[in-house]
Amino acid sequence: MRITPVGLQFRYVGMNNYLDVWLKDMFFLQELLSFSMTTLLRVPVIVVFALIIAMLLNQNVKLKGTFRTIFFLPVIVASGPVINQLVDQGATAIPMVNQDVIISLLSQVFPMFITDVIAGLFSQIIIILWYSGVQILIFLAVLQKIDPSLYEAAKIDGGSSWECFWKITLPTIKPIVLINMVYTLVSLANSGQNPIIDLIYANMFNATRGYGFASAMAWMYAIIIGIMLIIIFLAFRERKTKRAF
């Protein structure tokens, strides 16, 4: 008797895969909440760090091109396997920072789940800052376009450097802040360190779940990221002021 292969057999299950993602999978919601909390902290840290470094590099310092290369080099070198090796070897934290002391102090103020998120931020602070290379270049490009005469006029009127930042620099680069925040969120969402990506891959090759369930999970994850992007856009968009006649 000869057995002929019948190939893949498909069975239409309607919306069951999408319902199972939320009702039967115990890991997706947990990883999604963890990702949302860590992203809520990581995105501002990366954008603020990139802005500070870009403002420093925009000054009249020697070897500016070398410093730009140094800050952008991790974007090229730090691929997925390299980052995984650094994380496994514990090379992603600042050695001089005592994390146990930080956790004990934070646990007295915040709930434990928030303390764990902040502690995770300190444990991978070097990797997090490595994601700021592209944002530094974007900020640096727009800072170089600001007319220096604006700062000169402000200083003649007695404005300090702090006031110049809030009155001139920040309003000018506000649209770029939005762009960098969107870019940072998308970069973190597709990072190899994101456990949700690993969870989707695992379900894809799972014998009891397969491609349909993994596809539904990927679509749910994409919708959540889209909602987060809309929230960022609404929070940081440039609002038009009404003129009075």
Side-chain angles (χ1 to χ4, degrees):
M1 180 177 64
R2 184 176 64 180
I3 301 177
T4 58
V6 295
L8 295 175
Q9 294 183 356
F10 298 94
R11 180 170 58 90
Y12 180 72
V13 296
M15 302 296 293
N16 290 342
N17 284 329
Y18 294 95
L19 296 176
D20 292 344
V21 169
W22 299 103
L23 301 178
K24 295 185 178 181
D25 191 281
M26 66 181 67
F27 298 107
F28 179 73
L29 184 59
Q30 178 181 352
E31 296 294 349
L32 184 61
L33 292 175
S34 177
F35 171 78
S36 301
M37 292 295 297
T38 54
T39 302
L40 185 64
L41 292 176
R42 290 184 178 187
V43 170
V45 168
I46 293 173
V47 174
V48 171
F49 176 78
L51 178 58
I52 293 174
I53 298 300
M55 293 181 66
L56 292 175
L57 293 177
N58 195 41
Q59 304 298 319
N60 293 325
V61 295
K62 296 181 179 180
L63 303 176
K64 288 196 295 185
T66 304
F67 287 114
R68 295 175 192 174
T69 304
I70 291 173
F71 282 105
F72 189 75
L73 192 61
V75 178
I76 303 173
V77 177
S79 59
V82 175
I83 294 180
N84 292 332
Q85 288 294 327
L86 292 174
V87 173
D88 294 338
Q89 297 177 11
T92 59
I94 301 176
M96 298 179 62
V97 176
N98 192 334
Q99 299 183 25
D100 295 332
V101 175
I102 295 175
I103 294 174
S104 62
L105 293 175
L106 292 175
S107 61
Q108 299 175 3
V109 181
F110 300 103
M112 199 59 196
F113 71 94
I114 298 180
T115 302
D116 293 338
V117 173
I118 299 177
L121 178 68
F122 280 98
S123 65
Q124 297 187 5
I125 189 65
I126 294 178
I127 294 296
I128 293 172
L129 298 182
W130 273 9
Y131 282 100
S132 61
V134 176
Q135 294 88 324
I136 291 174
L137 295 182
I138 296 175
F139 275 134
L140 189 58
V142 71
L143 287 174
Q144 293 176 347
K145 297 295 184 181
I146 300 178
D147 190 358
S149 61
L150 296 176
Y151 295 103
E152 294 175 0
K155 290 180 180 179
I156 291 174
D157 292 337
S160 61
S161 299
W162 183 253
E163 291 173 337
C164 290
F165 171 77
W166 287 104
K167 300 296 183 179
I168 299 175
T169 305
L170 190 60
T172 304
I173 67 173
K174 188 176 180 181
I176 308 302
V177 173
L178 174 60
I179 293 174
N180 276 336
M181 294 194 73
V182 170
Y183 174 83
T184 304
L185 175 58
V186 174
S187 178
L188 293 175
N190 294 278
S191 171
Q193 298 297 312
N194 188 354
I196 301 180
I197 301 297
D198 296 333
L199 183 62
I200 294 174
Y201 285 156
N203 285 310
M204 184 183 303
F205 300 104
N206 192 314
T208 59
R209 302 232 170 135
Y211 289 95
F213 185 84
S215 177
M217 183 176 291
W219 274 107
M220 291 292 98
Y221 178 57
I223 292 174
I224 297 299
I225 297 300
I227 294 174
M228 296 175 69
L229 292 174
I230 292 174
I231 293 174
I232 291 177
F233 174 78
L234 294 177
F236 291 92
R237 66 176 178 174
E238 188 175 2
R239 295 175 175 85
K240 296 182 180 179
T241 57
K242 296 181 179 180
R243 296 181 179 179
F245 294 95

